[in-house]
Amino acid sequence: MSLRERKAARKKEDILRSASLVISRQGFHNATMEDIAAELLMTKGSLYYYFKNKEELLYRCHDLILSDAMDKLESIYLEKISSTEKIKKAIKVHLDIAIREKEIFNLIVKPEQLFSEAHIESIISKRDKYSGIFDEIINQGVEKGEFIIKQKKMARMIILGATNWIQVWYSPEGDFSKEEIEEIYAEYLLKMLV
Amino acid sequence: MSLRERKAARKKEDILRSASLVISRQGFHNATMEDIAAELLMTKGSLYYYFKNKEELLYRCHDLILSDAMDKLESIYLEKISSTEKIKKAIKVHLDIAIREKEIFNLIVKPEQLFSEAHIESIISKRDKYSGIFDEIINQGVEKGEFIIKQKKMARMIILGATNWIQVWYSPEGDFSKEEIEEIYAEYLLKMLV
Amino acid sequence: MSLRERKAARKKEDILRSASLVISRQGFHNATMEDIAAELLMTKGSLYYYFKNKEELLYRCHDLILSDAMDKLESIYLEKISSTEKIKKAIKVHLDIAIREKEIFNLIVKPEQLFSEAHIESIISKRDKYSGIFDEIINQGVEKGEFIIKQKKMARMIILGATNWIQVWYSPEGDFSKEEIEEIYAEYLLKMLV
Amino acid sequence: MSLRERKAARKKEDILRSASLVISRQGFHNATMEDIAAELLMTKGSLYYYFKNKEELLYRCHDLILSDAMDKLESIYLEKISSTEKIKKAIKVHLDIAIREKEIFNLIVKPEQLFSEAHIESIISKRDKYSGIFDEIINQGVEKGEFIIKQKKMARMIILGATNWIQVWYSPEGDFSKEEIEEIYAEYLLKMLV
DNA sequence: CATGAATGAGAGTTCATTCAT
DNA sequence: AATGAATGAACTCTCATTCAT
């Protein structure tokens, strides 16, 4: 990759970061291209130099965060620790991202309302892959006898639902630190599995 | 209430129902005033006779559903049954509404993005009141020794998060009936409390 | 048709007329929706109440003029006169329209550049039908021995080309009146056929 | 002319050729500076080194082709052949260019829509000069008794109109070869003059 | 010389809202 | 009470043009 290309790649990332920020603040539907550009002191026209349209930009945004989440989750999955530890760590990581990227994470919820067919498939498949790791961890735990749960899919849904919800109420100024919250969530959700 | 007023009240309800329907189908951001009117074979201009603007309409819509949920929840709260039974019933009722009114329920999640300051306070207070009943049920359970849980608020958050999330994946064509799902959810979430 | 509908139909026609005018003045590519609306003292948004988008509006515009031309041409075709008279009259009518609706007539030339697949077929078929009447007149003339020409299609092309071209140079202030020009064109082009 | 200047001149020609190509393919209104540059594997910014803006480029493009046509037409005019032969040759040459440079030739039709006042005069004067040669040929033919036609200007208009029109329908895959078409056109249009 | 990047004006389109009838 | 019609602001997107490097 040449210097030029690296610069362009960096700029693209900057834009995605800016987009994430604006979206987190205003929600996607209220985030205009102008807003996103303004955040970077650019003009909206310039965005189109890097992304062919708004959907593409949003898609990349979404993809970036989901990929990042995937990486973290996968490396937990590969660790040599008990399933109990794995699910706890997974919950914490998921909470962490859900707090940081709240709006983007919401895109994962209803991609149909925002993305056209061109992207929807890829998004859903990535989302399923992500959930799949949770399933795997739960499966292993059940096999090893660490977890006692019959409806494994449902348990995963409960876990993801509960953790995603955190965006709604979490505030850095709250009574508990992020770490404390993560610890409690992990502990409580684990009670459900054992 | 005069006949005329009763007629108008009835019409307002019709509109709210129609709005709920359209919003559930398309999401709010994709539900135009025209869509809502069309559902009732009206024209969008007429809606403004009953509601002063779109936000007002959406607010009433939201309010209606939340009030309905409140009523159901309160009557459960007042029943003479164990806290365990109460929380189970509450979870089931909440799931029921979340499934039926998925899009409207989303409004509860982030009212700031849609509602202006005129309504936001009322919405949040109603939402808090609703959550408060869950808190009460949990509190009573703990006091009576039915539940063993320290972070009661957090537990409530987990319960509401998990149940709200159901809209994302529930489909009438799925492997489980709505009743089965409700049963499993109630059972699993209860494990967390005891 | 109710009064309302008649009014709306009339308005649509007004818009088409306005569009024709603006297009004649500025060419389609330079005719914006705003220009067209301004001609009628409307705002561009209103146009969308009557036509779903610019292409649709342009298509209707084009269709109106071509249909009108068709009617005139067909009635000439059905007259009980010699082929010589018919082709003369046809040429005059065509010149007449070409002068009046110069830009719109140009649409007939290159529909591909402006219309999407939704309309292109209908346009081409109408255009072909129009040319077809010229062909018929020529055919009949040849059969009856009035015309002596081998390449009938080519002759038709020459006639239409020559007459369409008139938009380029005709001016009401020129040396000849429109009627004189039509007479001369008809006479000269006829020489080619006999 | 220095080496540098010669190089620049050559490049300018390349650009004009490329522009002609792109315009022929897409029409001017759909031919962007980017398209033209891409054809030469350049970036659009570079075009501005050679031409001060798009209009200038288009003007030169147009000028090049018209000058070329002029040259060919003039040399025919100077040949020692009958007026009949001259007009035939002129028609064929004109058809040839009209087919090859269809879109550019269209510019000749309505320069007002594309060119600003800075160029319009020069374009019209060149166009008139071009037409003037046709007039001259016709004049000579009439003087020599080869042609019998009163409205000479009108006859020239018919000829140019008919021949320009060929762009609309000519296709290399058609029933007739280009040469056959040219022959027929020349023959038929001549019938009008004699 | 050439390019990558940025700009800004303007286009088409959507939609909540208003209002005379 | 209801509607048809009109409006205007906001949005996405395009593209000729500029300019530092």
Side-chain angles (χ1 to χ4, degrees):
Chain A
M1 216 196 269
S2 75
L3 178 65
R4 277 269 151 78
E5 283 169 318
R6 282 223 306 282
K7 256 188 168 172
R10 159 104 48 127
K11 191 89 193 183
K12 274 193 182 191
E13 264 191 48
D14 284 350
I15 294 173
L16 292 180
R17 241 189 301 279
S18 164
S20 292
L21 198 69
V22 174
I23 289 172
S24 281
R25 213 163 43 211
Q26 310 171 205
F28 356 81
H29 285 103
N30 299 322
T32 70
M33 290 298 265
E34 196 136 28
D35 294 334
I36 294 169
E39 189 69 30
L40 283 160
L41 304 179
M42 301 172 91
T43 56
K44 60 181 164 171
S46 311
L47 295 182
Y48 288 86
Y49 184 77
Y50 296 96
F51 298 94
K52 87 173 201 283
N53 56 30
K54 192 181 182 184
E55 197 200 329
E56 181 73 21
L57 199 167
L58 254 40
Y59 170 68
R60 292 281 161 226
C61 211
H62 171 275
D63 194 55
L64 183 70
I65 286 156
L66 194 48
S67 296
D68 184 46
M70 268 298 273
D71 289 348
K72 291 200 176 120
L73 198 57
E74 250 170 353
S75 81
I76 289 171
Y77 175 66
L78 295 174
E79 286 184 35
K80 302 264 178 250
I81 53 179
S82 69
S83 297
T84 304
E85 276 313 301
K86 274 188 196 174
I87 200 77
K88 271 188 153 184
K89 277 195 167 185
I91 287 168
K92 288 178 182 180
V93 153
H94 187 82
L95 280 171
D96 206 47
I97 302 166
I99 285 171
R100 226 181 330 120
E101 311 284 1
K102 48 179 184 154
E103 283 298 328
I104 307 290
F105 236 56
N106 262 328
L107 280 176
I108 307 177
V109 182
K110 294 163 202 246
E112 318 79 300
Q113 272 178 29
L114 206 78
F115 293 112
S116 65
E117 289 183 16
H119 289 137
I120 204 92
E121 206 182 339
S122 137
I123 286 177
I124 293 197
S125 108
K126 230 171 200 154
R127 182 175 89 176
D128 288 349
K129 213 173 142 204
Y130 184 80
S131 312
I133 300 188
F134 272 89
D135 287 338
E136 273 306 308
I137 296 177
I138 294 173
N139 269 336
Q140 288 184 353
V142 170
E143 274 169 27
K144 290 199 276 176
E146 290 181 47
F147 305 152
I148 321 168
I149 196 125
K150 244 172 145 179
Q151 305 303 339
K152 291 173 282 189
K153 284 256 158 69
M154 213 85 82
R156 180 250 286 167
M157 291 296 191
I158 288 174
I159 291 173
L160 287 181
T163 47
N164 284 328
W165 189 252
I166 198 160
Q167 338 152 3
V168 178
W169 59 270
Y170 173 77
S171 148
E173 281 89 25
D175 287 346
F176 294 94
S177 72
K178 197 167 62 116
E179 286 69 27
E180 287 169 323
I181 292 169
E182 285 172 10
E183 187 58 39
I184 299 168
Y185 259 71
E187 182 194 330
Y188 284 10
L189 286 168
L190 195 62
K191 283 177 71 177
M192 186 183 66
L193 295 174
V194 295
Chain B
M1 214 194 271
S2 74
L3 177 64
R4 166 170 301 175
E5 283 169 324
R6 282 224 307 285
K7 254 186 160 175
R10 160 95 54 120
K11 192 86 192 182
K12 276 191 184 190
E13 261 194 65
D14 284 351
I15 294 173
L16 292 179
R17 241 190 302 280
S18 165
S20 291
L21 198 69
V22 174
I23 288 172
S24 280
R25 215 164 40 210
Q26 310 169 206
F28 355 79
H29 286 102
N30 299 322
T32 69
M33 290 296 266
E34 195 133 33
D35 293 334
I36 294 168
E39 189 69 28
L40 281 159
L41 304 179
M42 300 171 89
T43 55
K44 59 179 165 178
S46 313
L47 296 181
Y48 288 84
Y49 182 79
Y50 299 95
F51 300 93
K52 88 170 201 283
N53 56 30
K54 193 181 183 184
E55 195 201 330
E56 180 73 20
L57 199 166
L58 251 41
Y59 170 69
R60 291 280 163 228
C61 206
H62 170 272
D63 194 54
L64 183 71
I65 286 156
L66 195 48
S67 296
D68 185 48
M70 269 298 274
D71 289 348
K72 291 200 176 122
L73 199 56
E74 252 170 350
S75 82
I76 289 171
Y77 176 65
L78 296 172
E79 286 184 37
K80 302 266 178 243
I81 51 178
S82 69
S83 297
T84 305
E85 277 312 302
K86 275 188 195 172
I87 200 76
K88 271 188 154 188
K89 276 196 168 185
I91 287 169
K92 287 179 183 179
V93 154
H94 187 82
L95 280 171
D96 208 45
I97 303 167
I99 284 172
R100 223 177 336 115
E101 310 285 0
K102 48 183 191 150
E103 286 295 332
I104 308 287
F105 238 56
N106 260 329
L107 282 177
I108 308 176
V109 183
K110 9 203 118 151
E112 320 80 6
Q113 272 174 32
L114 211 88
F115 294 112
S116 64
E117 290 183 14
H119 289 136
I120 204 90
E121 205 180 339
S122 136
I123 285 177
I124 292 197
S125 105
K126 229 169 202 155
R127 182 176 88 176
D128 288 350
K129 213 172 142 205
Y130 183 81
S131 312
I133 301 189
F134 271 89
D135 287 339
E136 273 307 307
I137 297 178
I138 293 173
N139 268 335
Q140 289 185 354
V142 170
E143 276 168 24
K144 290 199 274 174
E146 288 182 47
F147 305 152
I148 323 167
I149 196 127
K150 244 172 147 178
Q151 305 303 337
K152 292 172 282 190
K153 284 255 160 69
M154 213 84 82
R156 180 253 286 168
M157 291 295 191
I158 288 174
I159 291 173
L160 288 181
T163 47
N164 284 329
W165 189 251
I166 198 160
Q167 344 150 0
V168 179
W169 60 270
Y170 173 78
S171 148
E173 281 90 24
D175 287 347
F176 294 93
S177 73
K178 194 165 66 110
E179 288 69 27
E180 288 170 324
I181 292 170
E182 285 171 11
E183 187 58 39
I184 298 168
Y185 259 70
E187 182 194 329
Y188 284 9
L189 286 168
L190 194 63
K191 283 176 71 178
M192 186 182 64
L193 295 173
V194 297
Chain C
M1 215 195 268
S2 76
L3 178 65
R4 275 272 152 76
E5 285 169 318
R6 282 224 305 283
K7 256 189 169 170
R10 160 102 49 126
K11 190 88 193 183
K12 274 193 184 191
E13 264 191 48
D14 284 351
I15 293 173
L16 292 180
R17 241 191 300 280
S18 164
S20 292
L21 198 68
V22 174
I23 289 171
S24 281
R25 215 164 40 211
Q26 309 170 205
F28 355 83
H29 286 102
N30 299 321
T32 70
M33 291 298 267
E34 196 137 29
D35 294 334
I36 293 169
E39 189 69 29
L40 282 161
L41 304 178
M42 301 172 89
T43 55
K44 61 179 167 173
S46 310
L47 296 182
Y48 288 85
Y49 184 77
Y50 297 95
F51 299 93
K52 85 171 203 284
N53 56 30
K54 192 181 182 185
E55 197 200 329
E56 181 73 20
L57 199 166
L58 254 39
Y59 170 69
R60 291 281 161 227
C61 211
H62 171 273
D63 194 55
L64 184 71
I65 286 157
L66 194 49
S67 296
D68 185 46
M70 268 299 272
D71 288 349
K72 291 199 177 124
L73 198 57
E74 250 168 352
S75 81
I76 289 171
Y77 176 66
L78 296 171
E79 286 185 35
K80 301 265 179 250
I81 51 179
S82 69
S83 297
T84 305
E85 276 312 304
K86 274 188 196 174
I87 200 76
K88 272 186 152 186
K89 278 194 167 184
I91 287 168
K92 288 177 183 181
V93 153
H94 187 81
L95 280 170
D96 207 46
I97 301 165
I99 284 172
R100 224 178 335 117
E101 310 284 2
K102 47 182 191 151
E103 283 298 329
I104 307 290
F105 236 57
N106 262 327
L107 280 176
I108 309 177
V109 182
K110 291 162 204 248
E112 317 81 300
Q113 273 177 28
L114 207 76
F115 292 112
S116 64
E117 289 184 16
H119 289 136
I120 204 91
E121 205 181 339
S122 137
I123 286 178
I124 292 198
S125 106
K126 228 168 203 157
R127 183 176 87 176
D128 288 350
K129 214 172 142 204
Y130 184 80
S131 312
I133 299 189
F134 271 89
D135 288 338
E136 273 306 308
I137 296 177
I138 294 173
N139 269 334
Q140 288 185 354
V142 169
E143 274 169 24
K144 290 199 275 175
E146 287 181 47
F147 304 153
I148 322 168
I149 195 127
K150 245 172 145 179
Q151 306 301 340
K152 292 173 282 189
K153 285 256 160 69
M154 213 86 82
R156 181 252 284 167
M157 292 295 192
I158 288 173
I159 291 173
L160 287 180
T163 47
N164 283 329
W165 189 250
I166 198 159
Q167 338 152 3
V168 179
W169 60 269
Y170 172 78
S171 148
E173 282 89 26
D175 288 346
F176 295 94
S177 73
K178 195 166 65 113
E179 287 69 28
E180 288 170 324
I181 291 170
E182 285 171 11
E183 188 58 39
I184 298 168
Y185 258 71
E187 183 194 328
Y188 283 9
L189 287 168
L190 194 63
K191 285 177 71 177
M192 187 183 64
L193 295 174
V194 297
Chain D
M1 213 194 271
S2 74
L3 178 63
R4 166 171 300 178
E5 283 170 323
R6 283 224 305 284
K7 253 184 161 177
R10 160 95 55 118
K11 193 86 190 183
K12 275 191 184 190
E13 262 194 63
D14 284 351
I15 294 173
L16 293 179
R17 240 190 302 281
S18 164
S20 292
L21 198 69
V22 173
I23 288 171
S24 281
R25 214 165 41 211
Q26 309 170 207
F28 355 78
H29 287 102
N30 298 322
T32 68
M33 290 297 267
E34 195 134 31
D35 294 333
I36 294 169
E39 187 70 29
L40 282 160
L41 306 178
M42 300 171 90
T43 55
K44 58 180 166 177
S46 313
L47 296 181
Y48 288 84
Y49 182 79
Y50 298 97
F51 299 94
K52 89 170 199 281
N53 56 29
K54 193 182 183 185
E55 197 201 329
E56 180 74 19
L57 198 166
L58 251 41
Y59 170 68
R60 293 279 161 228
C61 208
H62 170 272
D63 194 54
L64 183 70
I65 285 155
L66 195 50
S67 297
D68 184 47
M70 270 297 273
D71 289 348
K72 291 199 176 122
L73 199 57
E74 252 171 350
S75 81
I76 290 172
Y77 176 64
L78 295 174
E79 285 185 35
K80 303 266 178 242
I81 51 179
S82 69
S83 297
T84 305
E85 276 312 302
K86 275 187 194 172
I87 200 75
K88 272 188 153 184
K89 277 196 167 183
I91 287 168
K92 287 179 183 179
V93 153
H94 187 81
L95 280 171
D96 208 47
I97 302 166
I99 285 172
R100 221 174 341 114
E101 310 284 359
K102 49 183 189 153
E103 286 295 332
I104 307 287
F105 239 55
N106 260 331
L107 281 176
I108 307 177
V109 182
K110 5 203 122 149
E112 320 79 6
Q113 273 175 30
L114 211 87
F115 293 113
S116 64
E117 290 184 14
H119 289 135
I120 204 90
E121 207 180 339
S122 135
I123 285 177
I124 293 198
S125 105
K126 232 172 200 152
R127 183 176 87 177
D128 288 349
K129 214 173 142 203
Y130 183 80
S131 312
I133 301 188
F134 271 90
D135 286 339
E136 272 308 306
I137 297 177
I138 294 174
N139 269 335
Q140 288 184 355
V142 170
E143 274 169 25
K144 290 199 274 175
E146 287 182 48
F147 305 152
I148 323 169
I149 196 124
K150 245 171 146 177
Q151 305 303 339
K152 290 172 283 189
K153 285 256 159 70
M154 213 85 82
R156 180 253 286 168
M157 291 296 191
I158 289 174
I159 290 173
L160 287 181
T163 47
N164 284 330
W165 189 251
I166 198 161
Q167 345 150 0
V168 178
W169 60 269
Y170 173 77
S171 147
E173 281 88 26
D175 286 348
F176 294 94
S177 72
K178 196 167 63 115
E179 286 70 27
E180 286 171 323
I181 291 169
E182 285 172 10
E183 187 59 38
I184 298 169
Y185 259 69
E187 181 194 332
Y188 283 9
L189 286 168
L190 194 63
K191 283 176 73 177
M192 187 184 64
L193 295 174
V194 296

